[in-house]
Amino acid sequence: MAKTKSAYFCQSCGYESAKWLGRCPSCNEWNTFVEEITEKAGSKVPSWKTSSGSQRLNQPTKVDDIKTVNEERILTGDQELDRVLGGGLVAGSVVLIGGEPGIGKSTLMLQLALNITGKKVLYISGEESEQQIKMRAERITSQPKANCYILTETSTQNIFKQIETLDPDIMIVDSIQTLHSAHIDSTPGSVSQVRECTAELLRFAKETDTPVFLIGHITKDGTIAGPKILEHMVDTVLQFEGDRHHVYRILRSIKNRFGAAAEMGIYAMHGNGLREVSNPSEILLLQREEDLSGIAISATLEGARPMLIETQALVSTAAYGTPQRSANGFDTKRMNMLLAVLEKRCGFKLSTRDVFLNIAGGIKVEDPAIDLAILVAIISSHEDIFISSKICFAAEVGLSGEIRAVNRIEQRISEAEKLGFEKIFISNYNLKGLVSTKYKIEIAGVSKIEDVFSMLFG
């Protein structure tokens, strides 16, 4: 008779150990190891099977002999989601969507199930009843959808029995932490259960070419619970983020085997569901009725999408002994580095001043092209001189105060011109090979940060 097998798993990062450890060697967290049953004694309960009898073993094949197949992507009807996925949904792919509780993950997936046409969608819920999902569906749309099926089940074995009968084209699981497999004798949501359930769904998706969406919870640190092992198993990882007290939500691609891993989609949450925001630059720019200091517009890129965002800075006298440095939507360490450049290269004494930085719209930006706009906003607030709302910036700033070139400058200039800006500051190195005569916007090439300040502030 087979013995019951067990192992110890770190509940923070998923590290597996044969014995209990006080400190995890992977994530260095203390007292996070919990014993879990990895395999029950006795025969296994069958999960997903596509064929019976003997199967032919795979043989090694030369690269030149492999036939290429044009992938036909499934359009979901949601332009933001299709772009983040890389142009649509790939057959047999497994997509993991993570986000904070109440941010709108279930609403986004239910909208997908209700709005997609020509496909049979199975929505599996382990958290809500059929009546609750029906109430949310009526709030989202008033038109009944015959191709959307709801299944409230948490056992993977029972789910696969219903799949063999229904044969869906797309499957959505809400959420992966609520499922449990009979192969593992542990509670739902544990590391071993999440890994086994995801592996079964992954085998189902690859063998049947059925796309599968998995909704995942996140930890208090903002990472997907499960933990990181989930992100390594699936094909695509999407992060649904935003402030629940604000209207806008951001769908960000973290990992994508079938497209770019830096795309971003923006939604607006309304009473009847999520609505796509086709032009995010308009919502990220403040419509100012008066001239205000400390505000500069930057042309940034999120994946393949150019956006113009507003950077806001506030410089004030430190009320206490130690000056405060705070940044919302931008890396605080990089902001401190830029402040050191201002102090060393330009002579601005900011060591005794409080500096607060905010990226309008509640988004997080990692593009170095907003460096110049941040420095201009800080000096604008420090000197209390406003910057014209018709001027924008797209350049990186080096430690020696030089203005460095950024990539895909043509898209940034075209977006600024489309939104009615009259002048854009870029690096001199970006001017090489750029046909400035085809743009109506004035393009100012600069090489040092001092040149920008002299042109703006005199």
Side-chain angles (χ1 to χ4, degrees), residues 7 38 55-56 114 129 157 182 251 259 269 439:
T38 58
Q55 293 185 355
R56 183 177 64 88
L114 296 174
S129 64
Q157 282 68 39
L251 183 66
M269 175 66 80
Y439 300 108

Side-chain angles (χ1 to χ4, degrees), residues 225-360:
K228 280 289 184 180
I229 188 171
L230 265 182
E231 300 186 19
H232 296 299
M233 297 176 68
V234 300
D235 299 312
T236 305
V237 179
L238 305 180
Q239 188 81 10
F240 203 47
E241 56 190 35
D243 193 342
R244 285 182 294 171
H245 303 291
H246 290 79
V247 175
Y248 299 109
R249 304 287 189 269
I250 297 172
L251 183 66
R252 196 183 301 273
S253 174
I254 300 176
K255 168 190 174 182
N256 193 353
R257 290 174 179 166
F258 310 109
E263 288 291 347
M264 184 184 73
I266 299 182
Y267 295 86
M269 175 66 80
H270 299 287
N272 55 351
L274 293 163
R275 293 295 175 263
E276 305 169 33
V277 178
S278 58
N279 190 2
S281 297
E282 293 183 353
I283 67 170
L284 296 176
L285 298 180
L286 176 66
Q287 302 297 325
R288 288 177 280 177
E289 297 182 357
E290 57 182 294
D291 296 330
L292 302 173
S293 62
I295 297 177
I297 310 299
S298 176
T300 183
L301 276 176
E302 285 290 342
R305 163 183 274 183
M307 293 191 307
L308 269 77
I309 61 173
E310 183 176 290
T311 57
Q312 303 173 346
L314 177 63
V315 180
S316 61
T317 304
Y320 305 99
T322 305
Q324 300 183 62
R325 301 285 190 264
S326 177
N328 184 23
F330 189 73
D331 187 13
T332 306
K333 293 182 179 179
R334 188 169 184 86
M335 184 189 71
N336 291 332
M337 182 194 74
L338 295 175
L339 291 175
V341 172
L342 285 178
E343 191 142 347
K344 176 71 174 180
R345 304 299 178 184
C346 303
F348 291 99
K349 302 302 180 182
L350 299 173
S351 57
T352 60
R353 311 278 280 177
D354 291 337
V355 180
F356 303 95
L357 182 67
N358 178 55
I359 305 298

Side-chain angles (χ1 to χ4, degrees), residues 140-205:
I140 294 174
T141 178
S142 58
Q143 299 179 357
K145 300 292 181 179
N147 288 333
C148 179
Y149 295 83
I150 306 298
L151 174 63
T152 55
E153 182 60 66
T154 57
S155 172
T156 57
Q157 282 68 39
N158 296 336
I159 289 173
F160 288 134
K161 290 179 181 178
Q162 299 299 326
I163 288 175
E164 291 179 351
T165 303
L166 183 62
D167 190 20
D169 298 316
I170 300 175
M171 192 169 74
I172 300 172
V173 178
D174 183 13
S175 65
I176 186 62
Q177 277 83 10
T178 61
L179 299 189
H180 66 89
S181 173
H183 296 170
I184 305 297
D185 190 12
S186 59
T187 59
S190 61
V191 174
S192 55
Q193 277 288 3
V194 169
R195 180 171 58 182
E196 179 64 25
C197 293
T198 304
E200 292 180 6
L201 293 171
L202 186 63
R203 288 193 295 267
F204 160 75

